[in-house]
Amino acid sequence: MKITKLKTWQVPPRWLFLKIETDEGCYGWGEPVIEGRAATVEAAVHELSDYLIGQDPHRIEHLWNMMYRAGFYRGGPILMSAIAGIDQALWDLKGRDLGVPVHQLLGGAVRDKMRMYAWTGGDRPSDVGAGAKALVEKGFTAFKMNGTPEMQIVDSHRKVDEAVARVAEARDAVGPDVGIGIDFHGRVHRPMAKALLRELEPFHPMFVEEPVAPEHLPCLKDIAGGLGYPLATGERLHTRFQFRDLLADGMIDIIQPDISHCGGISEGLKIAALASAYDVALAPHCPLGPLTLAASLQLDAVSHNAFIQEQSMGIHYNQGNDVLDYLVDKSALAIEDGFCAIPQGPGLGVEINEAFVEERAKVGHRWRNPVWTHEDGSIAEW
């Protein structure tokens, strides 16, 4: 069997889908994308196709190393996201060819279903209590919310008070037993994070995510020591080597690699295993489409340290289309009572409606994240 073609589609709301085809009619789907840079990743996918056309798709590890190492310049969000989607598609193809789900190829599932969480509120969250209560009524046992809007490197304590009040509102709405993930989104700089992290402690967060931007993670040992709840990060780290250094520092309790950003299932498996050596939990980042979610669930299935999975059904970014719209069988990713069964179909376990993909690709997208500014006109972190 030889790879003959890599086909891509930009589809609403902000995703990129990939299909790898072969001379024997077998195929696989993946989702190579960086939010707001879909066209750039798409170009990288087609550049990488020069290494793949004519190759045996079953040699996934070999092809991964060829894409990663043969280009000399490596890593970073664009290249690793392109590799990630290709890697997902190769695993999907192999599973389809052999008639088994990917998790069977990775040693078999350690769990039957995965605990899921959902989002409430938007980038500038309001009325989070009502949103959180609605999610719990749907069966979710955990949710995530943005902690703050933009925040200056040194800001007024009023911003801290407002963030704490939002979390208090959410905790009051759902009671003590529901998990609350609070995403700082890298918006909180070191001087303000010192105060905010400690003032959230009475509300017992399930985790605080990206407590500082990725480039400032080394400061956590100085500002977050002794906290009584977990810290999480990882969506903007792209290789096992970045996670190695983070884990060795000992300040993160939950890693959140994105299986469409970190080199795919192949690299995600290595990252998960590395985290387990440090007794660190796994909760893959996934505000993306059905293929990223399916790939994440295949990794969760074989990772003993996986404890919860993000998903983006109904998230505020999903304008025009939502996660299940592109599936032939929407039940493959159905969430019931806050859990999703590990997909058991061949490959990633989902079947994409290619005709619908073609139709929506005519609409496409040019999604960009918001550009925020502070009162003085300087650019704020989004």
Side-chain angles (χ1 to χ4, degrees):
M1 186 187 296
K2 304 296 182 187
I3 297 171
T4 56
K5 186 181 295 186
L6 282 74
K7 298 165 65 175
T8 53
W9 298 266
Q10 292 186 45
V11 296
R14 55 179 191 162
W15 306 330
L16 179 71
F17 289 173
L18 162 70
K19 184 182 183 184
I20 294 180
E21 297 180 345
T22 67
D23 58 353
E24 295 186 10
C26 199
Y27 61 88
W29 288 85
E31 196 171 328
V33 69
I34 277 283
E35 300 91 303
R37 296 292 181 266
T40 313
V41 177
E42 185 174 30
V45 168
H46 290 291
E47 287 185 329
L48 289 169
S49 70
D50 293 346
Y51 298 106
L52 301 169
I53 301 298
Q55 296 291 323
D56 176 359
H58 283 280
R59 299 184 65 190
I60 298 173
E61 189 70 14
H62 173 67
L63 295 178
W64 196 99
N65 278 286
M66 186 186 300
M67 291 186 289
Y68 182 78
R69 299 178 190 283
F72 189 70
Y73 295 99
R74 58 188 67 163
I78 302 303
L79 288 175
M80 295 307 291
S81 296
I83 291 173
I86 293 169
D87 180 82
Q88 292 170 16
L90 291 171
W91 280 109
D92 188 43
L93 189 156
K94 187 165 188 169
R96 288 174 183 277
D97 189 37
L98 299 176
V100 295
V102 167
H103 64 77
Q104 289 286 14
L105 302 175
L106 300 177
V110 300
R111 56 178 51 85
D112 302 318
K113 59 184 181 179
M114 191 66 191
R115 186 184 180 201
M116 311 295 284
Y117 70 86
W119 269 87
T120 185
D123 283 323
R124 290 185 171 96
S126 61
D127 199 22
V128 293
K133 191 172 182 179
L135 290 172
V136 172
E137 289 171 353
K138 290 181 179 179
F140 286 99
T141 61
F143 64 89
K144 188 163 75 178
M145 57 182 284
N146 269 313
T148 73
E150 63 269 38
M151 185 176 278
Q152 278 276 21
I153 187 168
V154 176
D155 215 319
S156 69
H157 205 275
R158 176 178 59 84
K159 291 282 188 73
V160 173
D161 290 341
E162 290 172 350
V164 171
R166 279 189 290 272
V167 175
E169 177 189 349
R171 177 57 76 201
D172 184 61
V174 300
D177 299 324
V178 173
I180 302 178
I182 306 165
D183 192 354
F184 282 14
H185 218 248
R187 296 171 186 166
V188 186
H189 295 267
R190 172 182 174 143
M192 304 308 296
K194 284 199 296 186
L196 184 51
L197 286 169
R198 300 200 181 281
E199 296 211 19
L200 290 172
E201 199 155 18
F203 305 99
H204 305 296
M206 179 172 65
F207 57 76
V208 164
E209 177 174 333
E210 281 205 323
V212 291
E215 53 266 42
H216 302 308
L217 286 170
C219 80
L220 287 180
K221 55 181 171 289
D222 297 322
I223 69 171
L227 283 177
Y229 60 83
L231 297 178
T233 198
E235 70 189 73
R236 290 192 273 180
L237 304 179
H238 308 292
T239 68
R240 78 195 86 149
F241 309 110
Q242 290 176 301
F243 280 95
R244 174 197 63 195
D245 298 339
L246 173 70
L247 291 163
D249 202 39
M251 285 307 303
I252 289 295
D253 309 291
I254 303 165
I255 58 161
Q256 300 171 303
D258 189 306
I259 308 307
S260 277
H261 301 340
C262 76
I265 294 170
S266 295
E267 189 76 347
L269 189 67
K270 297 176 178 70
I271 291 166
L274 185 62
S276 73
Y278 288 88
D279 205 21
V280 166
L282 172 70
H285 179 255
C286 184
L288 293 167
L291 292 158
T292 310
L293 179 54
S296 299
L297 288 165
Q298 297 295 333
L299 178 62
D300 294 329
V302 299
S303 301
H304 192 269
N305 54 335
F307 87 103
I308 201 164
Q309 176 61 56
E310 182 176 26
Q311 53 81 34
S312 71
M313 298 176 202
I315 199 170
H316 51 292
Y317 305 123
N318 290 356
Q319 302 295 318
N321 284 109
D322 213 322
V323 174
L324 302 182
D325 294 351
Y326 292 95
L327 299 184
V328 173
D329 177 9
K330 295 174 174 49
S331 69
L333 295 177
I335 299 172
E336 296 182 12
D337 297 325
F339 285 83
C340 183
I342 301 299
Q344 297 298 320
L348 296 180
V350 296
E351 191 64 57
I352 295 295
N353 184 339
E354 187 169 349
F356 187 68
V357 169
E358 292 276 6
E359 176 187 332
R360 297 305 291 157
K362 294 174 184 175
V363 176
H365 68 86
R366 195 172 174 82
W367 190 87
R368 297 290 184 268
N369 62 256
V371 178
W372 289 356
T373 57
H374 296 296
E375 189 176 359
D376 62 5
S378 61
I379 296 296
E381 298 281 356
W382 166 67

